[in-house]
Amino acid sequence: MRNLLTQWGKRQQQLPSENDLYKHRVLDSLHLQDVKVKRPLRFAYVTFMWGIVALTLFLAIKASISWFSPHLVSDSRQPYEAASQKARFDAERKLTKDDLGITYGQYTGLGTRDTRGLYGIVESVGESLSNLIDPVPSTDIREFMKVGYNVAIKTRQVDTLAMRSQTIIRGYGGRVDNASINNKFASISFVVPKKSFEAFKIELESLVGKRFITESLNSQNLLPRKVSIEEQTKTASSSLADYQSQRKDLTDKHNRTVAGYQSQISYYSNQIWNARQELKKTTSTALQAELQMRINSANNEWSRIKRLMDSENSDYNKKVAALDNQIKTQQNQLANLKIQDVNLTDDVETVQGTIMVSWVSYWEIIELYIPFYKWLIAGAMLIVILVAVFGRGRSFEAV
Amino acid sequence: MTIKEELALIRLVKNGDKDALSRLWDDINPKLYGYLVNVLKDKSQADDILQETWLKAIEKIDKFKDRGVRFSAWLFAIARNECRQFWRQNKVGQAVSWDEMEIDISSQTSEQMDNNLMVEDILKRLRINEQEILRLRFIADLSFKEIARIMDISIISARVRVYRAITGARKVYKINLCKKEKCAIY
């Protein structure tokens, strides 16, 4: 049948009887037509293309800014994050006042309050210089890890989620230090015990989908601080023992000296009394004069020794007061160091952190699931424009 | 003539080259005229519409866009529109009686004449759309893509319709054959 139709089709092809006449007419009509100048490039087409380029550049720049700009963990417009993040930081290294060669209160005559203030200043200076010197020996491999946990949650129900977060914190034996909540943003600072941190974290993660939560975990080894506390404790204990020993020596020496003076005073007192007794009994003028001389001499010595003893007492009181001051200072320092040690233990045994809850728009939700949706829209617009410019309907432009 | 050759000639025609137009005429006209004669069944009408088609095509040649189809396909689209316009203006039904058609028998052998008559007989038993599509495929020698563009359908639809038209023609042919054989028997 196909062959039949093909042959039939070929046979149907024919020329009109007046073929040449018609041909000339058509050819003449071409001659009479104005030769149309080739149309210049369509500016509408060029405009469209520049428009597409501009739009593409705009979206590309916007996407690149949001991609590369540094985000804090709490920034709710972090793109391209579908999973939780964990970060670890190097252990902080701290110096103390002793490493700087300053022992507060010593030989300064400052009172306790002043020395505490000076200690605070020195400690902050020591912290700021802590990166320069590492006091921790490399053989010490102990770990006192302080864990920090920050989480950013995106949701459309900020206040509800913030309240639930606080409930979770308290439910795990934690504490809310600070909470600031409004319908668009909430920030909660908290502390939870380390032993219940994992369970707390899992429950927090279950509040929203994985794409809506960004976590940051950092840990810091407080070993330098621990080592510093230990060394300071050792130094303070050593200083305390030293001062106490000095005091004891001072007291012993003073007692001996005073005892010596006392015995001399007693001796001269006896001499004076004996001479006075003899003076009463004798009638000899010469003997009386001699006895009187002896009494005067003994009196002089007695007074001299009395003065020495007073001076010794005064000196001793001053010295012992100074030593007592030093002892008290060292004892206070030891008490502070004990508190620091307890605080360090608390830091290690707990996890501190913040929960940032921010409101998310539908566009941001789309961006979480389809990070490149802006490119898709741009591509779709480009296709539509190209189809509009180049694509024609299947039918010809029938004249 | 290939699409590239046609397009090259069109570019020349747009610049006023008559020789290029003459070559296009010689190549396309037999098919176009044959198609018009088969559609209108009237040579004088076919002459008029042929001229109108070419004149309109020349007038609007700048509108012709190369989109993977030939200039000849565009001409056939214009010709179809002219036929429709003619029928509308003259309030004549599309189907002119096949019996009224003038058949040129001068250059045909008897076998060819028999085959022609048989095909014409088959065609007149088909639907108008099927007739049209067979004309475009076998007289105008257009590709499926070009037929699809002219008829404003998809390429796949064009293929399917041609296939169905041929299948329909084959059925009619078989029926006719059976009738002949029965006639022969009796």
Side-chain angles (χ1 to χ4, degrees):
Chain A
M1 178 53 60
R2 238 178 247 276
N3 288 338
L4 203 62
L5 288 168
T6 305
Q7 286 163 19
W8 165 80
K10 291 258 188 288
R11 283 195 291 273
Q12 293 301 304
Q13 293 173 8
Q14 56 188 291
L15 286 171
S17 54
E18 305 282 342
N19 182 55
D20 290 335
L21 178 63
Y22 301 151
K23 185 175 174 181
H24 280 296
R25 277 188 196 159
V26 168
L27 290 176
D28 287 341
S29 73
L30 177 65
H31 179 71
L32 290 171
Q33 294 288 328
D34 290 334
V35 175
K36 295 208 173 141
V37 177
K38 194 172 177 183
R39 290 175 66 177
L41 186 67
R42 291 192 181 182
F43 292 108
Y45 160 77
V46 173
T47 307
F48 265 128
M49 291 308 299
W50 279 115
I52 291 161
V53 168
L55 182 67
T56 310
L57 272 174
F58 168 73
L59 290 173
I61 290 165
K62 198 164 182 271
S64 67
I65 287 170
S66 61
W67 180 272
F68 289 115
S69 63
H71 283 288
L72 297 175
V73 171
S74 58
D75 191 335
S76 63
R77 295 191 297 116
Q78 289 188 17
Y80 312 113
E81 286 182 352
S84 57
Q85 295 176 352
K86 295 188 185 359
R88 288 188 174 267
F89 299 104
D90 292 333
E92 203 175 287
R93 294 166 183 168
K94 290 186 192 276
L95 281 181
T96 66
K97 55 174 179 60
D98 287 335
D99 296 303
L100 294 173
I102 301 171
T103 305
Y104 67 89
Q106 190 175 16
Y107 309 126
T108 61
L110 293 176
T112 306
R113 198 169 66 180
D114 295 331
T115 57
R116 263 215 294 270
L118 180 60
Y119 177 74
I121 292 167
V122 171
E123 190 177 50
S124 66
V125 170
E127 283 175 10
S128 65
L129 295 176
S130 62
N131 288 328
L132 297 176
I133 304 171
D134 182 4
V136 180
S138 56
T139 51
D140 192 346
I141 56 169
R142 294 178 293 167
E143 284 187 354
F144 297 88
M145 303 304 288
K146 173 184 165 64
V147 177
Y149 177 67
N150 296 306
V151 61
I153 300 175
K154 295 173 196 173
T155 180
R156 292 184 66 80
Q157 297 167 338
V158 171
D159 40 8
T160 310
L161 204 73
M163 298 308 290
R164 282 181 69 186
S165 301
Q166 290 183 77
T167 308
I168 292 170
I169 291 164
R170 292 184 181 113
Y172 282 97
R175 170 182 93 223
V176 174
D177 286 336
N178 187 17
S180 167
I181 302 170
N182 59 49
N183 59 348
K184 291 285 184 190
F185 184 77
S187 170
I188 302 165
S189 303
F190 67 91
V191 174
V192 291
K194 207 175 200 178
K195 60 179 186 288
S196 55
F197 171 64
E198 280 303 319
F200 161 77
K201 187 161 136 352
I202 289 168
E203 184 155 347
L204 205 63
E205 285 169 358
S206 69
L207 288 175
V208 292
K210 277 186 184 172
R211 292 175 195 270
F212 294 87
I213 188 165
T214 308
E215 293 167 291
S216 170
L217 198 66
N218 59 79
S219 55
Q220 178 189 358
N221 192 359
L222 299 181
L223 179 61
R225 203 166 115 192
K226 179 73 176 177
V227 165
S228 169
I229 291 170
E230 287 170 348
E231 283 176 1
Q232 284 180 76
T233 305
K234 191 173 156 188
T235 306
S237 299
S238 169
S239 299
L240 178 65
D242 185 44
Y243 289 132
Q244 284 171 338
S245 170
Q246 283 180 33
R247 190 182 194 280
K248 185 173 176 302
D249 291 342
L250 182 72
T251 304
D252 288 345
K253 184 183 169 195
H254 167 74
N255 288 340
R256 281 197 301 276
T257 307
V258 164
Y261 289 150
Q262 284 283 5
S263 71
Q264 286 184 43
I265 286 171
S266 297
Y267 170 73
Y268 286 115
S269 295
N270 282 340
Q271 271 206 328
I272 292 166
W273 187 81
N274 289 337
R276 282 199 179 136
Q277 293 302 320
E278 274 192 50
L279 191 63
K280 280 182 188 173
K281 289 178 185 173
T282 188
T283 53
S284 166
T285 313
L287 189 61
Q288 283 176 350
E290 190 188 334
L291 283 168
Q292 194 60 47
M293 267 179 58
R294 220 190 283 171
I295 289 167
N296 290 342
S297 172
N299 264 335
N300 288 339
E301 285 298 311
W302 186 93
S303 298
R304 186 181 68 81
I305 292 163
K306 189 78 176 36
R307 282 195 303 274
L308 282 174
M309 195 168 79
D310 289 342
S311 170
E312 169 63 25
N313 280 338
S314 170
D315 196 37
Y316 166 76
N317 286 336
K318 279 182 192 169
K319 284 182 181 173
V320 88
L323 282 171
D324 282 345
N325 215 18
Q326 293 299 327
I327 288 167
K328 192 170 177 190
T329 304
Q330 295 300 320
Q331 284 171 340
N332 285 342
Q333 188 181 2
L334 282 170
N336 281 336
L337 287 167
K338 192 168 169 57
I339 292 170
Q340 283 182 39
D341 195 45
V342 167
N343 288 341
L344 184 140
T345 307
D346 285 347
D347 274 350
V348 170
E349 292 302 319
T350 57
V351 175
Q352 285 180 321
T354 45
I355 299 172
M356 301 284 195
V357 185
S358 57
W359 186 81
V360 63
S361 66
Y362 286 119
W363 281 112
E364 286 165 337
I365 292 172
I366 293 170
E367 196 169 359
L368 285 171
Y369 284 96
I370 311 171
F372 48 87
Y373 79 95
K374 287 172 187 160
W375 290 103
L376 280 178
I377 293 171
M381 285 173 69
L382 182 66
I383 290 167
V384 165
I385 290 167
L386 288 173
V387 166
V389 171
F390 293 111
R392 294 283 184 225
R394 287 195 291 267
S395 61
F396 282 113
E397 291 172 9
V399 293
Chain B
M1 193 181 284
T2 63
I3 293 178
K4 269 189 180 174
E5 287 168 355
E6 259 197 26
L7 290 173
L9 289 173
I10 293 297
R11 274 194 288 274
L12 293 170
V13 168
K14 284 182 182 178
N15 289 332
D17 190 336
K18 285 188 183 179
D19 290 333
L21 183 57
S22 174
R23 282 182 60 189
L24 281 171
W25 174 279
D26 293 337
D27 183 64
I28 297 170
N29 218 38
K31 298 174 192 174
L32 183 60
Y33 188 68
Y35 167 81
L36 286 170
V37 167
N38 202 270
V39 167
L40 297 166
K41 311 292 186 290
D42 184 343
K43 279 197 175 180
S44 59
Q45 283 304 321
D47 291 347
D48 291 338
I49 289 178
L50 178 74
Q51 289 181 83
E52 280 300 315
T53 301
W54 275 102
L55 288 172
K56 278 197 175 176
I58 298 302
E59 190 185 330
K60 305 283 180 186
I61 196 150
D62 288 326
K63 271 196 178 182
F64 173 70
K65 295 272 181 234
D66 159 36
R67 289 194 178 88
V69 294
R70 289 177 294 178
F71 171 74
S72 50
W74 189 52
L75 268 183
F76 276 95
I78 298 171
R80 287 181 83 228
N81 283 337
E82 288 297 311
C83 291
R84 275 201 285 269
Q85 215 165 342
F86 166 74
W87 286 319
R88 263 201 303 270
Q89 282 169 2
N90 294 281
K91 292 180 183 154
V92 175
Q94 189 172 351
V96 176
S97 168
W98 288 80
D99 298 326
E100 295 173 4
M101 193 176 72
E102 295 172 18
I103 301 166
D104 182 8
I105 59 171
S106 58
S107 59
Q108 296 178 20
T109 63
S110 59
E111 190 187 346
Q112 286 172 348
M113 275 172 58
D114 286 340
N115 285 342
N116 271 354
L117 288 169
M118 183 170 54
V119 172
E120 298 290 347
D121 188 52
I122 289 168
L123 284 181
K124 75 180 175 188
R125 294 178 201 283
L126 298 175
R127 285 196 287 267
I128 291 172
N129 284 346
E130 289 173 340
Q131 293 172 24
E132 178 67 12
I133 207 158
L134 287 176
R135 285 189 200 109
L136 290 173
R137 180 72 181 148
F138 294 105
I139 300 178
D141 198 23
L142 296 174
S143 66
F144 290 113
K145 186 175 180 180
E146 289 164 343
I147 292 172
R149 289 292 295 274
I150 290 170
M151 299 185 79
D152 195 19
I153 55 176
S154 66
I155 298 174
I156 294 172
S157 294
R159 279 186 185 273
V160 167
R161 288 189 193 187
V162 168
Y163 172 78
R164 281 181 185 161
I166 294 172
T167 309
R170 193 178 292 122
K171 271 188 196 164
V172 172
Y173 172 73
K174 282 180 182 171
I175 290 168
N176 286 354
L177 204 62
C178 283
K179 280 184 186 169
K180 255 192 192 173
E181 283 171 358
K182 277 181 187 171
C183 289
I185 288 168
Y186 293 105

